[in-house]
Amino acid sequence: MWFKILAGTVVCLTLLLFEAYVFTSLPSGTKYKVYRFQFAIVLNLVFYAGSKHLWQRVVKDVLEDSTPNIVKCTWKSIVMFFLVLAHISPFTTNFVTREPTWLNMAAWTCFGAYILLFAMLVPLDYFFKFLRKTSRIKFFSSRKISLFVVVTITLCSVMAFQTAVQAPRIISVEVPIAKLAPSMDKMRIGLISDIHLGPTVGYTQLKRVVDMTNALNPDIVVFSGDLMDATLADVDGAATPLAELKAPYGKYFATGNHEYYTGDIENWFKALESYGFVVLHNSNRKILSKSNPNDWICILGTDDIQADQIRYEGHGMDLSKAYRGCDLSHPAILIAHQPKAAQIALDSEFSIQLILSGHTHGGQMYPIIWLCYLVNPFMSGLYRPKEDSYVYVSQGSVYYGFPLRWGTYPEITNITLRAT
Ligand SMILES: [Fe+2]
């Protein structure tokens, strides 16, 4: 036991030293690839303990002496294959192609199912342990609990996979906007968020989102961050469907936290601009009414707050800079990726009528939903935290990492602005 703790500590210290002395001299793209590799190693240390427990509960406790050898071998092979795939999933972040490979999809699905197995197995184990201790009644054996959990989670994973890979739902909402001129009443925003182009999301999924958004004929398109989980070169043209998005009043983008994990933000900004997007890097644009140029909406976007935390050079949330040029007599719509950033904006002195966020994925699946609820001030959907201020949090238009959704669904939001 102490040996494992010591080994884990040594590995973590080595990684920290590496970060302090070696990474500083690496070019940005390479540095972030090493970061991701480092993260995968640390995650595998956690997996090590988890997989040992799972092997005990799902293999040793399930197979009996009387079980035929062929069944034993098959079951052990299946579980081993499942665990190996889950273990390699974090390493696939450095092996991204235009379309997700079957290996990437299988590895991340196993990672998601691994989380679900633990989320069900551990509480049930403790629950029945407690019942056995406090009661004389014989409850289910460990073997029966394991079998029940494996069957249930397998079925849940299949359903969660289907939900995640399905076409996004169109969610239509009307938002009353104070100070919106009658000439701009009923303007519509197509809101896309959290595509996460990377190991498990590629060209085809983005193309579907773009086609569905175009079918809504939005006046404005907003992308509220987390487009990518890889460098522009790695995704090999997977982002090009963004150029096909049509919006007569413009397409606007602000960064999410995952943009910064790629270490390739400058190349991504250039690409987004070439696809016709206005990148709101702590800046704003005025959207003028076509019938009366004195009527306008100020659309502003801030860098994601994670840029401050990881000290990404030249980036960080700067609301004062983003708001400069907007004024109190015209409505302001802010793109701020994280709900925490939306809360910062609501607490500020600036008058903002609508904040568009993403990031949470609505929690994506149980049990992460509960954790997500605890750490975010807004989870998903429309909120009215102030008399004249609304926050809309998208559940994301695809998924992040594991292609599983349970209790949530991918969405494209069709927002209609209404004059009050
Ligand atoms: Fe995010």
Side-chain angles (χ1 to χ4, degrees):
M1 175 70 176
W2 285 108
F3 174 76
K4 285 171 198 164
I5 294 172
L6 186 68
T9 312
V10 169
V11 172
C12 287
L13 280 174
T14 314
L15 293 171
L16 282 172
L17 284 171
F18 224 66
E19 188 175 320
Y21 296 108
V22 181
F23 289 3
T24 44
S25 57
L26 292 173
S28 190
T30 315
K31 184 167 80 174
Y32 284 92
K33 282 198 173 192
V34 180
Y35 269 138
R36 287 196 291 273
F37 189 68
Q38 183 189 35
F39 177 70
I41 290 173
V42 173
L43 205 58
N44 264 270
L45 282 173
V46 180
F47 273 161
Y48 171 74
S51 298
K52 242 182 127 185
H53 181 74
L54 274 184
W55 187 261
Q56 175 67 44
R57 294 292 285 109
V58 176
V59 174
K60 290 188 176 170
D61 291 357
V62 166
L63 298 176
E64 294 171 316
D65 291 342
S66 57
T67 310
N69 267 343
I70 181 77
V71 176
K72 276 184 187 170
C73 283
T74 309
W75 184 237
K76 280 182 182 176
S77 305
I78 291 170
V79 176
M80 182 56 79
F81 191 54
F82 169 80
L83 292 177
V84 169
L85 282 173
H87 276 255
I88 64 168
S89 59
F91 292 103
T92 64
T93 51
N94 277 337
F95 298 97
V96 172
T97 46
R98 183 180 168 92
E99 295 284 11
T101 62
W102 280 105
L103 177 67
N104 284 5
M105 291 296 277
W108 280 90
T109 304
C110 289
F111 180 15
Y114 189 104
I115 294 172
L116 291 176
L117 272 175
F118 263 96
M120 195 169 185
L121 195 58
V122 173
L124 277 183
D125 275 347
Y126 275 106
F127 178 66
F128 282 104
K129 217 177 194 178
F130 173 76
L131 286 186
R132 277 185 216 112
K133 268 190 183 172
T134 53
S135 159
R136 288 187 178 176
I137 305 166
K138 280 197 172 180
F139 290 96
F140 301 115
S141 65
S142 291
R143 182 173 183 270
K144 280 185 180 160
I145 295 168
S146 291
L147 284 171
F148 171 74
V149 169
V150 168
V151 171
T152 308
I153 294 305
T154 305
L155 292 174
C156 286
S157 299
V158 171
M159 289 193 287
F161 182 84
Q162 276 184 328
T163 308
V165 299
Q166 72 183 354
R169 293 187 196 177
I170 304 294
I171 306 298
S172 295
V173 282
E174 282 198 356
V175 185
I177 300 288
K179 300 177 232 173
L180 185 70
S183 67
M184 302 185 92
D185 185 31
K186 295 188 183 173
M187 271 196 110
R188 286 186 303 111
I189 299 174
L191 173 65
I192 308 170
S193 187
D194 298 84
I195 296 284
H196 291 280
L197 282 177
T200 54
V201 180
Y203 176 93
T204 305
Q205 283 145 301
L206 177 58
K207 177 83 170 90
R208 180 168 66 184
V209 170
V210 166
D211 291 344
M212 289 179 72
T213 308
N214 279 339
L216 298 172
N217 292 315
D219 297 299
I220 305 162
V221 165
V222 166
F223 199 126
S224 59
D226 280 4
L227 163 65
M228 67 295 264
D229 265 314
T231 63
L232 181 67
D234 281 349
V235 302
D236 190 21
T240 52
L242 290 172
E244 297 165 27
L245 275 168
K246 291 181 186 75
Y249 289 84
K251 310 190 277 191
Y252 302 90
F253 177 91
T255 55
N257 49 326
H258 285 253
E259 267 72 61
Y260 295 104
Y261 305 152
T262 69
D264 195 30
I265 207 96
E266 283 72 26
N267 284 330
W268 272 112
F269 277 10
K270 278 182 208 154
L272 282 161
E273 280 160 4
S274 75
Y275 302 149
F277 269 85
V278 175
V279 176
L280 295 172
H281 172 32
N282 291 322
S283 57
N284 65 68
R285 287 285 191 283
K286 285 178 181 133
I287 297 173
L288 307 180
S289 160
K290 290 208 166 134
S291 58
N292 182 356
N294 291 323
D295 297 339
W296 48 269
I297 298 168
C298 190
I299 186 154
L300 57 150
T302 50
D303 291 347
D304 185 64
I305 47 175
Q306 191 85 43
D308 299 288
Q309 286 151 17
I310 62 171
R311 296 191 210 123
Y312 202 103
E313 202 180 342
H315 291 257
M317 183 179 180
D318 189 341
L319 191 57
S320 306
K321 191 176 165 199
Y323 195 84
R324 214 170 288 153
C326 305
D327 69 34
L328 286 173
S329 54
H330 293 86
I333 296 175
L334 167 67
I335 313 169
H337 176 65
Q338 296 197 37
K340 281 178 188 164
Q343 188 61 60
I344 292 169
L346 288 166
D347 294 339
S348 73
E349 76 256 43
F350 302 107
S351 167
I352 296 165
Q353 280 61 52
L354 174 62
I355 304 172
L356 301 173
S357 298
H359 182 64
T360 64
H361 300 216
Q364 192 154 318
M365 68 172 192
Y366 288 105
I368 303 169
I369 285 178
W370 298 317
L371 181 69
C372 184
Y373 180 78
L374 291 175
V375 299
N376 286 290
F378 308 105
M379 181 88 162
S380 66
L382 188 65
Y383 297 82
R384 190 186 188 184
K386 282 181 174 180
E387 175 77 21
D388 283 332
S389 294
Y390 289 83
V391 175
Y392 189 87
V393 184
S394 165
Q395 294 195 92
S397 305
V398 190
Y399 47 77
Y400 167 60
F402 32 82
L404 300 176
R405 275 190 181 265
W406 183 9
T408 68
Y409 47 82
E411 72 168 73
I412 296 167
T413 325
N414 182 22
I415 299 172
T416 306
L417 306 179
R418 297 307 311 265
T420 53

